[in-house]
Amino acid sequence: MKTQVGIIGGGPAGLLLSQILHVAGIDSVILERQSRDYVLSRIRAGVLEQGLVDMLRAVDVAGRLDREGEVHTGVNLAFDGRVEHIDLEGLTGGKTVTVFGQTEVTRDLYDARDAMGGTVVHEAADVTPHGFDGGTPSLTYRKDGMEHRVDCDFIAACDGYHGVGRQSFPPGTIREYEKTYPFGWLGILSRTKPVDEELIYANHERGFVLCSMRSQVLSRYYVQVPAAADIADWSDDRFWDELRARLPASVADVLETGPSIEKSIAPLRSYVAEPLNHGRLFLAGDAGHIVPPTGAKGLNLAASDVHYLSEGLIGYYRTGDETGLKSYSERALRRIWKAERFSWWMTMLMHRFPEEGGFGMKVQQAELDYLTGSTAAKTAMAENYVGLPY
Ligand code: RFL
Ligand code: PHB
């Protein structure tokens, strides 16, 4: 097989990149390790920045998002028995976020890919990039017991944190920055009415909780659990009791509960790889960086990477100018580090760190009290939450 851009990974980053390239008349092939059903069964992000919404609109994949996505003009912070509202729209001169599941975005991107007759090879095993140091990159993979090869001009590794793209960089060419947190998020999805119209991020003595949603009949809740927590120990009843215990009474009293339809634990980690390319191999999305989910930035960063990378590729194919590709890593990393900073800050502010004791909690409460009482501090938070400009 021959194509212009070989893409590893059929998650949101890989699919969005292929869609943008297709609209610009550039051919790509996606190699995905899992089945389509598996990819579409993963429950992940729920909050989309305007930048991602605009990108989906520009490539005609926003029909359902525009009909079913819910625009949120604010977000709530709960602490010390209080709930404080952050008016995102008012503080940022009209910017908002849209609540629409990553699963739904991915589904719509797959449908668009089908409609354009694009190739996505699912269940592609042992995908391996070759020749990206020079001018003749290729990808090999195995499927149905046969070896296959895709010749391409460039390779985009959109294959997530555990992908093969980053691991293929020659030794010593990548610098990694990492921070792990001593806890994870236990998340459930339930067919219940969300407890509030907007999201609630709550700092509590027993640990952090987040009240989110996918629609008016589908709720998504998370509770902070120790890194070593076992999901088998978390019955639905235990989850709901713990969630209620960590919410201010005014919220807990109106919480609607029901059976979980999905339950999983996600570890929290901050990670950045630098640079994001080696020769003609480029990393985009979780392949190059991870943020803890507290600021809702992971999927949105994947989108801004794809924005910069697609600009570089389109520039190259239109005029032969490689400037955009050469500056991809630097441009993307400038925005990535700001989102890393914000996600780390929000994680440190909202979670219980057992080793910090009562003093740590009091300092967090003081910061939350200051933040929610200061227009300057609220504005800084709101600007970051709605997403910094590309
Ligand atoms: P993905 O989604 O991991 O997709 C990578 C794809 O590559 C495939 N793959 C391979 N294919 C071929 N060969 C290989 N060797 C391969 N190795 C891997 C995988 O099967 C997969 O299909 O990465 P991508 O596209 O970069 O997208 C990133 C986002 O998925 C991620 O950043 C977000 O989900 C993070 N995130 C959130 N982001 C937000 O912007 N807002 C949120 O509200 C938000 N909430 C979350 C989140 C992530 C969470 N978890 C579970 C980590 C909430 C949670 C709980
Ligand atoms: C979600 O709805 O899954 C979600 C929302 C906000 C976050 C993280 C996850 O910060």
Side-chain angles (χ1 to χ4, degrees):
M1 230 186 313
K2 203 168 167 22
T3 190
Q4 289 171 300
V5 182
I7 300 176
I8 315 174
L15 289 164
L16 181 58
L17 178 63
S18 86
Q19 181 69 14
I20 293 172
L21 294 179
H22 170 77
V23 169
I26 300 165
D27 190 52
S28 64
V29 166
I30 298 177
L31 304 180
E32 165 59 50
R33 183 167 58 183
Q34 306 287 355
S35 69
R36 183 158 163 167
D37 284 349
Y38 181 92
V39 172
L40 289 175
S41 69
R42 291 190 296 226
I43 309 290
R44 287 187 168 181
V47 177
L48 315 187
E49 294 173 357
Q50 193 61 45
L52 171 52
V53 172
D54 290 344
M55 283 172 80
L56 291 166
R57 282 192 188 135
V59 291
D60 227 5
V61 190
R64 213 157 58 90
L65 165 70
D66 281 332
R67 282 192 307 277
E68 297 173 19
E70 293 187 13
V71 173
H72 283 213
T73 59
V75 67
N76 297 293
L77 297 178
F79 60 99
D80 204 14
R82 295 151 58 182
V83 184
E84 297 288 347
H85 183 247
I86 307 286
D87 175 11
L88 298 173
E89 189 175 33
L91 291 161
T92 60
K95 297 206 175 107
T96 56
V97 292
T98 302
V99 171
F100 190 63
Q102 173 172 334
T103 317
E104 305 310 313
V105 173
T106 309
R107 188 186 306 283
D108 291 350
L109 282 165
Y110 268 124
D111 288 348
R113 182 92 193 150
D114 290 345
M116 67 183 165
T119 310
V120 184
V121 180
H122 279 102
E123 295 169 79
D126 297 337
V127 174
T128 311
H130 309 272
F132 48 85
D133 245 340
T136 54
S138 64
L139 291 165
T140 54
Y141 65 98
R142 239 173 358 91
K143 173 141 172 127
D144 301 329
M146 305 248 295
E147 286 288 329
H148 301 266
R149 177 187 167 112
V150 182
D151 291 307
C152 49
D153 302 329
F154 299 99
I155 298 171
C158 303
D159 49 353
Y161 180 67
H162 300 287
V164 66
R166 194 178 69 251
Q167 289 162 25
S168 305
F169 277 47
T173 58
I174 216 160
R175 181 153 182 203
E176 297 175 290
Y177 300 85
E178 184 161 25
K179 180 174 173 63
T180 53
Y181 304 87
F183 42 74
W185 281 16
L186 168 63
I188 73 161
L189 193 66
S190 69
R191 271 187 227 296
T192 50
K193 184 174 156 36
V195 70
D196 194 271
E197 285 164 14
E198 291 174 342
L199 271 65
I200 305 174
Y201 291 84
N203 175 313
H204 190 273
E205 199 173 354
R206 298 176 66 93
F208 168 78
V209 295
L210 168 61
C211 305
S212 182
M213 66 199 73
R214 291 292 176 272
S215 71
Q216 281 314 306
V217 290
L218 205 52
S219 299
R220 180 79 168 150
Y221 295 104
Y222 297 95
V223 303
Q224 173 187 351
V225 292
D230 183 351
I231 199 155
D233 296 335
W234 283 88
S235 66
D236 287 0
D237 284 345
R238 180 174 177 203
F239 181 93
W240 292 119
D241 287 346
E242 191 58 39
L243 179 64
R244 225 182 266 113
R246 297 184 190 185
L247 287 168
S250 61
V251 181
D253 287 351
V254 294
L255 178 70
E256 196 178 291
T257 64
S260 64
I261 48 180
E262 197 266 354
K263 194 188 283 172
S264 52
I265 297 182
L268 266 70
R269 175 189 291 123
S270 299
Y271 172 89
V272 182
E274 290 192 357
L276 292 173
N277 77 300
H278 185 81
R280 291 178 164 235
L281 170 62
F282 295 85
L283 307 179
D286 280 13
H289 44 80
I290 296 288
V291 285
T294 325
K297 292 288 164 241
L299 172 64
N300 293 301
L301 272 187
S304 57
D305 288 358
V306 166
H307 165 81
Y308 296 123
L309 183 55
S310 59
E311 240 179 33
L313 289 165
I314 292 167
Y316 172 83
Y317 283 110
R318 292 232 166 107
T319 64
D321 180 3
E322 291 191 30
T323 318
L325 287 173
K326 291 215 165 99
S327 60
Y328 163 68
S329 178
E330 191 192 321
R331 289 176 79 199
L333 281 165
R334 275 185 78 176
R335 188 170 192 278
I336 289 161
W337 272 113
K338 291 189 191 107
E340 289 283 345
R341 200 269 326 155
F342 178 67
S343 307
W344 161 82
W345 169 76
M346 225 177 136
T347 301
M348 301 302 284
L349 179 64
M350 299 308 294
H351 291 77
R352 190 74 14 257
F353 288 79
E355 67 280 12
E356 301 292 334
F359 182 82
M361 189 179 77
K362 283 290 186 185
V363 168
Q364 286 177 336
Q365 287 175 353
E367 181 166 356
L368 283 160
D369 192 25
Y370 165 70
L371 169 67
T372 53
S374 155
T375 303
K378 276 193 290 198
T379 304
M381 177 183 164
E383 275 178 0
N384 282 277
Y385 194 84
V386 300
L388 297 173
Y390 290 6

